[in-house]
Amino acid sequence: MNEKLTQICAEGERAVASAKNEIELQEIKASLLGKQGSLTGILKELPKMAPEMRPAMGKEINEVKNHLSSLIDARREELLLKASEIPADFDTTVPGIPPLQGGKHPIKQMRDDLNDAFRSMGFEIFEEDEITSELYAFDKLNFPPNHPARESMDTYWIAGHDKGQANEKLCLRPHLTGGSVRYLQTHKAPYRFVYPGRVYRNETTDARHERAFYQYEALIVDRDFTFASGKVMIRSILSKVFGREVPVRMRAGFFPFVEPGFEIDMGCLVCGGKGCSVCKNVGWIEVMPGGTPHPNVLRAAGLDPDEYTGFYVNIGLDRLVMMRYGVDDVRLFNSADLRFLSQFR
């Protein structure tokens, strides 16, 4: 067995010294010290030896094992140093390859641009958790008990917390407006703030709809704020974001949390108003609901609707980004396709 051990040690030393790269070195290490390695095989034969010979042989085997392990570690260091050496025939005049640079996601860029625009108008930025309760997602927003948005066909309820009422039922926030009510409850009037964030709805995905998408809510509550001022605010924000005047129209619409309520559309910038798949060939695309906060919502926030009024908009951030860059499919933003995302570096 001594001769066999000496042979394994000698062969191991030659193999380690001749290893050309890390992969070869790992293979050599496995052949010597791995579970099926030659040195491990000798260790398995140790119990068959005479009891009085085992201690000495075990000591020799461990010495060879430690010796080969040290040689392998030393050779690994040599290979690492060699890999960083510049070859003698290297042409230093050849231009290098510039490293890839990351960039901000276009939706995040739009969010930051809107934050800057609203800050310049005296707004505060508000953020909150993505999990909310039925109390704030629906009850405090004047949604009737039987409203279809409460059903699982529209809202993602959290398993194990999908029973009961009010704060007992938890869900992924289907919109940001419930968080706005919480802001009204925890701050002092007058209010002027924006609330960006991601929301979740059980939707069928297509070129205009995603299950997880971004909204950007803006809310003003004050004693004297006219509806006309809200419309001016919308035009001002869109012109700042797009760097030019954008066609805007307002259509009557119903939302439980505003009264009166409006659908606010902008001219489709993908097709220039001529009609395309993004705007369903009508030349306009809905970008936000808006209106005056409903009296019941103000009451839920502890405000007197006879004393306070205001203006609310909830911008579909993804769609706004589609307009800015002429993107015709909202699903591209979450696709993780670097060919698409690298355009925005």
Side-chain angles (χ1 to χ4, degrees):
M1 188 174 285
N2 284 331
E3 293 180 3
K4 189 174 182 181
L5 187 60
T6 302
Q7 182 182 356
I8 291 173
C9 183
E11 291 177 353
E13 290 173 345
R14 287 194 294 271
V16 170
S18 63
K20 295 182 176 62
N21 52 56
E22 176 68 20
I23 295 176
E24 284 189 15
L25 195 61
Q26 284 296 107
E27 292 174 350
I28 292 167
K29 182 178 181 180
S31 69
L32 293 170
L33 309 177
K35 289 183 179 181
Q36 305 299 323
S38 53
L39 201 61
T40 307
I42 288 187
L43 279 171
K44 292 178 181 178
E45 295 178 10
L46 199 60
K48 301 176 184 179
M49 297 181 63
E52 64 274 10
M53 297 178 63
R54 292 175 191 170
M57 181 55 65
K59 182 180 179 181
E60 288 186 35
I61 294 173
N62 283 327
E63 288 176 353
V64 171
K65 180 180 178 181
N66 292 334
H67 173 63
L68 293 176
S69 295
S70 298
L71 290 179
I72 290 170
D73 291 340
R75 182 58 179 165
R76 182 179 289 110
E77 290 295 325
E78 289 178 12
L79 292 172
L80 288 173
L81 291 172
K82 189 174 182 180
S84 62
E85 292 178 356
I86 299 176
D89 59 348
F90 180 76
D91 186 355
T92 57
T93 65
V94 175
I97 300 174
L100 292 176
Q101 294 183 344
K104 192 175 291 186
H105 193 281
I107 293 177
K108 297 294 181 67
Q109 183 63 61
M110 175 67 83
R111 180 203 62 186
D112 292 347
D113 291 347
L114 283 170
N115 284 348
D116 291 342
F118 275 104
R119 280 197 186 99
S120 70
M121 300 169 67
F123 282 71
E124 182 182 344
I125 311 298
F126 174 61
E127 293 184 5
E128 200 182 41
D129 295 336
E130 294 185 354
I131 294 178
T132 187
S133 65
E134 185 177 39
L135 179 66
Y136 282 93
F138 300 108
D139 295 345
K140 288 187 176 293
L141 296 181
N142 199 41
F143 280 81
N146 60 346
H147 195 283
R150 295 176 183 258
E151 301 298 325
S152 59
M153 67 179 70
D154 286 326
T155 301
Y156 288 110
W157 296 99
I158 305 297
H161 300 275
D162 53 351
K163 306 296 181 184
Q165 295 180 337
N167 273 329
E168 298 174 351
K169 291 184 69 174
L170 302 180
C171 62
L172 295 176
R173 60 187 181 194
H175 46 236
L176 300 177
T177 313
S180 293
V181 174
R182 201 188 305 271
Y183 180 95
L184 297 179
Q185 290 178 322
T186 55
H187 293 72
K188 293 183 179 181
Y191 310 91
R192 186 181 290 252
F193 68 96
V194 293
Y195 177 17
R198 185 164 55 181
V199 299
Y200 304 86
R201 292 184 194 166
N202 191 4
E203 301 221 28
T204 301
T205 60
D206 57 29
R208 300 178 64 199
H209 299 88
E210 267 281 22
R211 292 187 177 94
F213 56 97
Y214 285 84
Q215 291 183 341
Y216 194 100
E217 188 161 301
L219 179 60
I220 296 175
V221 176
D222 208 336
R223 286 184 171 85
D224 297 304
F225 190 84
T226 64
F227 193 87
S229 298
K231 190 171 182 179
V232 171
M233 179 187 73
I234 293 170
R235 292 186 180 277
S236 299
I237 291 299
L238 291 178
S239 65
K240 282 189 177 184
V241 168
F242 292 102
R244 58 188 174 92
E245 289 296 321
V246 177
V248 176
R249 72 178 186 183
M250 302 176 70
R251 299 175 288 112
F254 172 76
F255 304 97
F257 38 85
V258 289
E259 180 59 42
F262 291 88
E263 299 273 11
I264 302 170
D265 304 333
M266 64 176 285
C268 181
L269 302 184
V270 175
C271 63
K274 298 177 181 178
C276 64
S277 61
V278 175
C279 63
K280 293 185 177 179
N281 297 308
V282 298
W284 296 88
I285 184 167
E286 177 193 343
V287 289
M288 63 187 93
T292 301
H294 195 285
N296 290 340
V297 175
L298 294 175
R299 291 190 187 97
L303 299 173
D304 183 354
D306 293 327
E307 184 178 356
Y308 286 95
T309 185
F311 192 81
Y312 155 93
V313 291
N314 190 309
I315 301 168
L317 201 56
D318 300 36
R319 292 186 184 178
L320 217 58
V321 179
M322 293 172 74
M323 295 297 99
R324 171 183 270 188
Y325 297 108
V327 177
D328 61 1
D329 194 327
V330 70
R331 292 168 293 190
L332 290 169
F333 293 125
N334 293 326
S335 67
D337 187 337
L338 293 181
R339 296 171 301 175
F340 171 74
L341 295 174
S342 62
Q343 300 176 78
F344 305 100
R345 286 204 298 255

